[in-house]
Amino acid sequence: MSRRRDTHTLDLFDWTPPAVVERFDAQRVRAATWRDQIARAVAEALHGSELSREEIAERMNDFLGEEDGGVTRGILDNYASQAKETHTISFLRVIALGAVTGDARLLQLAADPLERIVVEARFEGAIQEALATEQIEQLERIKRLGRRQWRGAR
């Protein structure tokens, strides 16, 4: 007798939690120097965007308030090239690139050496709750220890 599979009940073992922190695939941005790693990361961010490089440059200029066309497709190409050693993207433009593409992985690349993470703002409350819970647990341990000492002193 064959059993029919229940298609209305979710299988909890099939669920994989989403990544809380977005990072570049380490193999895709692997490089010998920080400058080259940043260039590869910029290339990944540009490649992963649905926008053309011209559109990205235009929107970066709008974001930065640069009316003279400070960011061009050519400049983006240079930022993404490991061969252009004199053209490393500035942090200001990293922020603009992230804002335009919606890609926070460049910011995470900068945060990793500081042992920090870049997370969506909607998780701030959850992090605050976890920190408060941790503090409450520590205070409960101190309370239990104090109570044992106090009651044992009789």
Side-chain angles (χ1 to χ4, degrees), residues 19-78:
V20 175
V21 178
E22 296 177 35
R23 289 184 168 90
F24 289 108
D25 177 346
Q27 295 301 317
R28 305 283 300 161
V29 296
R30 193 168 161 190
T33 67
W34 263 104
R35 202 216 78 68
D36 287 350
Q37 188 175 16
I38 291 166
R40 292 189 72 164
V42 169
E44 284 293 306
L46 293 171
H47 181 72
S49 177
E50 294 176 359
L51 301 171
S52 70
R53 291 191 181 193
E54 289 84 2
E55 291 171 309
I56 292 171
E58 183 179 329
R59 291 183 186 191
M60 285 177 67
N61 286 324
D62 291 343
F63 180 86
L64 296 168
E66 295 183 4
E67 297 174 12
D68 63 347
V71 180
T72 63
R73 179 196 166 100
I75 287 176
L76 291 177
D77 290 343
N78 287 340

Side-chain angles (χ1 to χ4, degrees), residues 88-113:
T88 303
I89 191 169
S90 70
F91 193 68
L92 181 63
R93 287 186 174 178
V94 164
I95 294 168
L97 179 59
V100 166
T101 62
D103 192 340
R105 296 177 300 170
L106 282 164
L107 296 175
Q108 185 56 51
L109 185 66
D112 279 338

